[in-house]
Amino acid sequence: VTYEAERTGLHYVRVFRTTRMGVPDYRIAVTVGGAQQQGDCADNDPNEPNESAREGLDYDDAASEGVGLCAMDEDWFVVVPTPNSVIAANLEAIPIENGEFFADVRLDIIAADGETVLASGEQFLDSLDAQTEPVLSSEEHYVRVRSASSNGYIYDLVVFIF
Protein backbone atom coordinates (compact mmCIF):
# COMPACT_ATOMS: atom_id res chain seq x y z
CA VAL A 1 0.00 0.00 0.00
CA THR A 2 1.36 3.43 -0.88
CA TYR A 3 0.15 6.56 0.88
CA GLU A 4 1.22 10.07 -0.04
CA ALA A 5 0.77 12.48 2.86
CA GLU A 6 -0.37 15.98 2.06
CA ARG A 7 1.67 17.47 4.92
CA THR A 8 4.24 16.55 7.53
CA GLY A 9 3.08 15.46 10.95
CA LEU A 10 1.78 12.41 12.75
CA HIS A 11 0.14 9.71 10.64
CA TYR A 12 -1.29 6.34 11.72
CA VAL A 13 -1.33 2.89 10.14
CA ARG A 14 -4.34 0.80 11.07
CA VAL A 15 -4.21 -2.98 10.60
CA PHE A 16 -7.34 -5.12 10.78
CA ARG A 17 -8.44 -8.52 9.58
CA THR A 18 -11.51 -9.25 7.56
CA THR A 19 -12.34 -12.73 8.93
CA ARG A 20 -12.51 -14.26 12.39
CA MET A 21 -10.73 -17.45 11.39
CA GLY A 22 -7.39 -18.37 12.93
CA VAL A 23 -4.77 -16.40 14.76
CA PRO A 24 -3.72 -13.29 12.89
CA ASP A 25 -0.14 -13.56 11.66
CA TYR A 26 1.31 -10.59 9.84
CA ARG A 27 4.36 -8.39 9.58
CA ILE A 28 4.33 -4.71 8.92
CA ALA A 29 7.12 -2.47 7.71
CA VAL A 30 6.70 1.26 7.25
CA THR A 31 9.07 3.34 5.17
CA VAL A 32 8.91 7.12 5.37
CA GLY A 33 10.12 8.96 2.33
CA GLY A 34 8.91 10.57 -0.81
CA ALA A 35 9.55 13.28 -3.31
CA GLN A 36 9.55 16.07 -0.76
CA GLN A 37 12.30 14.39 1.21
CA GLN A 38 14.59 13.49 -1.67
CA GLY A 39 17.86 15.27 -2.25
CA ASP A 40 19.62 17.80 -0.11
CA CYS A 41 17.59 19.64 2.53
CA ALA A 42 18.59 22.92 0.87
CA ASP A 43 16.58 21.80 -2.18
CA ASN A 44 13.46 22.16 -0.01
CA ASP A 45 14.24 25.59 1.45
CA PRO A 46 13.09 28.46 -0.76
CA ASN A 47 13.71 30.89 2.12
CA GLU A 48 17.51 30.79 1.99
CA PRO A 49 19.48 32.77 2.85
CA ASN A 50 17.89 33.45 6.24
CA GLU A 51 20.71 32.49 8.59
CA SER A 52 20.51 35.43 10.98
CA ALA A 53 18.20 38.11 12.33
CA ARG A 54 19.57 40.49 9.71
CA GLU A 55 18.66 38.04 6.91
CA GLY A 56 15.35 37.01 8.46
CA LEU A 57 12.36 36.88 6.15
CA ASP A 58 8.98 38.33 6.96
CA TYR A 59 7.01 35.32 8.20
CA ASP A 60 3.94 36.33 6.18
CA ASP A 61 5.98 36.27 2.94
CA ALA A 62 8.06 33.16 3.62
CA ALA A 63 7.37 29.51 2.90
CA SER A 64 6.46 27.83 6.19
CA GLU A 65 5.26 24.34 5.18
CA GLY A 66 7.53 21.55 4.01
CA VAL A 67 10.66 23.65 4.55
CA GLY A 68 14.09 22.00 4.61
CA LEU A 69 16.34 22.49 7.64
CA CYS A 70 19.90 21.35 6.99
CA ALA A 71 22.31 20.05 9.61
CA MET A 72 23.51 22.84 11.91
CA ASP A 73 21.28 25.29 10.00
CA GLU A 74 19.32 28.26 11.33
CA ASP A 75 16.23 29.75 9.73
CA TRP A 76 15.10 33.20 10.94
CA PHE A 77 11.69 34.78 10.44
CA VAL A 78 10.58 38.32 11.22
CA VAL A 79 7.29 38.99 13.01
CA VAL A 80 5.90 42.37 14.05
CA PRO A 81 3.65 42.26 17.08
CA THR A 82 1.32 44.98 18.26
CA PRO A 83 2.07 46.40 21.73
CA ASN A 84 0.93 44.10 24.56
CA SER A 85 0.42 41.13 22.24
CA VAL A 86 1.71 37.58 22.64
CA ILE A 87 3.84 35.79 20.04
CA ALA A 88 3.32 32.03 19.82
CA ALA A 89 4.92 29.50 17.48
CA ASN A 90 4.30 25.84 16.71
CA LEU A 91 6.83 23.63 14.92
CA GLU A 92 6.44 20.10 13.56
CA ALA A 93 9.30 18.33 11.79
CA ILE A 94 10.32 14.95 10.42
CA PRO A 95 13.88 13.80 9.79
CA ILE A 96 15.07 13.48 6.19
CA GLU A 97 17.07 10.36 7.04
CA ASN A 98 17.87 9.96 10.73
CA GLY A 99 17.43 12.00 13.83
CA GLU A 100 15.34 12.65 16.89
CA PHE A 101 13.21 15.76 16.45
CA PHE A 102 12.99 16.78 20.12
CA ALA A 103 16.72 16.26 20.66
CA ASP A 104 17.94 17.86 17.43
CA VAL A 105 15.68 20.83 16.63
CA ARG A 106 15.22 24.09 18.54
CA LEU A 107 12.52 26.75 18.32
CA ASP A 108 13.07 30.20 19.81
CA ILE A 109 11.19 33.50 19.85
CA ILE A 110 13.74 36.30 20.04
CA ALA A 111 13.42 39.95 21.06
CA ALA A 112 13.95 42.95 18.80
CA ASP A 113 17.66 43.06 19.75
CA GLY A 114 18.15 39.80 17.82
CA GLU A 115 19.78 38.12 20.82
CA THR A 116 17.48 37.87 23.83
CA VAL A 117 15.47 34.64 23.81
CA LEU A 118 11.95 35.41 25.04
CA ALA A 119 10.61 31.86 24.74
CA SER A 120 11.95 28.46 23.70
CA GLY A 121 10.03 25.55 22.26
CA GLU A 122 8.76 22.94 24.65
CA GLN A 123 7.53 19.52 23.64
CA PHE A 124 3.76 19.29 23.33
CA LEU A 125 2.48 16.04 21.82
CA ASP A 126 4.33 15.80 18.49
CA SER A 127 5.42 19.42 18.18
CA LEU A 128 7.48 22.16 19.78
CA ASP A 129 5.48 25.11 21.10
CA ALA A 130 6.80 28.47 22.29
CA GLN A 131 4.87 31.46 23.63
CA THR A 132 6.03 34.81 24.96
CA GLU A 133 4.64 36.95 27.71
CA PRO A 134 2.97 40.07 26.30
CA VAL A 135 5.58 42.12 24.42
CA LEU A 136 5.59 45.84 24.98
CA SER A 137 6.90 47.13 21.67
CA SER A 138 5.84 46.89 18.05
CA GLU A 139 9.44 46.46 16.88
CA GLU A 140 10.44 43.51 14.76
CA HIS A 141 10.86 40.29 16.73
CA TYR A 142 12.20 36.98 15.42
CA VAL A 143 11.33 33.31 15.31
CA ARG A 144 14.35 31.04 14.89
CA VAL A 145 14.29 27.37 13.88
CA ARG A 146 17.62 25.62 14.18
CA SER A 147 19.15 22.20 13.91
CA ALA A 148 21.57 21.40 16.71
CA SER A 149 22.80 18.19 15.07
CA SER A 150 24.11 16.63 11.87
CA ASN A 151 20.58 15.64 10.81
CA GLY A 152 18.37 17.39 8.27
CA TYR A 153 14.61 17.89 8.67
CA ILE A 154 11.49 18.95 6.81
CA TYR A 155 9.35 21.24 8.95
CA ASP A 156 6.09 23.15 9.20
CA LEU A 157 6.04 26.39 11.21
CA VAL A 158 2.98 28.31 12.34
CA VAL A 159 3.27 31.70 14.10
CA PHE A 160 0.40 33.44 15.87
CA ILE A 161 0.24 36.96 17.26
CA PHE A 162 -2.67 37.63 19.59
Side-chain angles (χ1 to χ4, degrees):
V1 175
T2 301
Y3 168 72
E4 185 173 328
E6 293 181 12
R7 64 183 299 265
T8 61
L10 182 64
H11 296 266
Y12 297 92
V13 174
R14 180 178 175 193
V15 178
F16 60 94
R17 64 183 186 177
T18 59
T19 68
R20 296 188 184 272
M21 297 177 59
V23 176
D25 184 21
Y26 67 89
R27 293 176 192 239
I28 187 169
V30 177
T31 303
V32 177
Q36 187 177 29
Q37 292 181 302
Q38 298 300 313
D40 188 281
C41 57
D43 294 340
N44 296 316
D45 192 352
N47 298 324
E48 293 294 345
N50 63 337
E51 308 299 310
S52 66
R54 187 177 30 139
E55 294 176 320
L57 295 177
D58 186 307
Y59 172 78
D60 292 331
D61 296 333
S64 60
E65 292 185 6
V67 179
L69 180 68
C70 293
M72 305 307 289
D73 188 20
E74 291 189 1
D75 289 346
W76 288 70
F77 301 90
V78 177
V79 294
V80 182
T82 56
N84 297 312
S85 62
V86 171
I87 304 169
N90 171 273
L91 179 73
E92 295 180 357
I94 56 172
I96 291 176
E97 291 183 16
N98 299 307
E100 174 57 42
F101 171 50
F102 296 115
D104 295 344
V105 179
R106 307 288 184 266
L107 170 66
D108 297 309
I109 300 173
I110 299 175
D113 65 8
E115 295 180 11
T116 305
V117 175
L118 301 176
S120 291
E122 295 183 14
Q123 182 177 348
F124 179 75
L125 299 176
D126 294 319
S127 64
L128 288 175
D129 290 345
Q131 181 174 311
T132 66
E133 296 293 325
V135 294
L136 302 178
S137 77
S138 59
E139 294 178 286
E140 291 182 342
H141 285 63
Y142 305 94
V143 176
R144 176 179 63 192
V145 177
R146 62 187 170 107
S147 170
S149 75
S150 60
N151 300 308
Y153 287 82
I154 301 294
Y155 71 85
D156 292 344
L157 175 66
V158 179
V159 177
F160 305 95
I161 298 175
F162 57 93

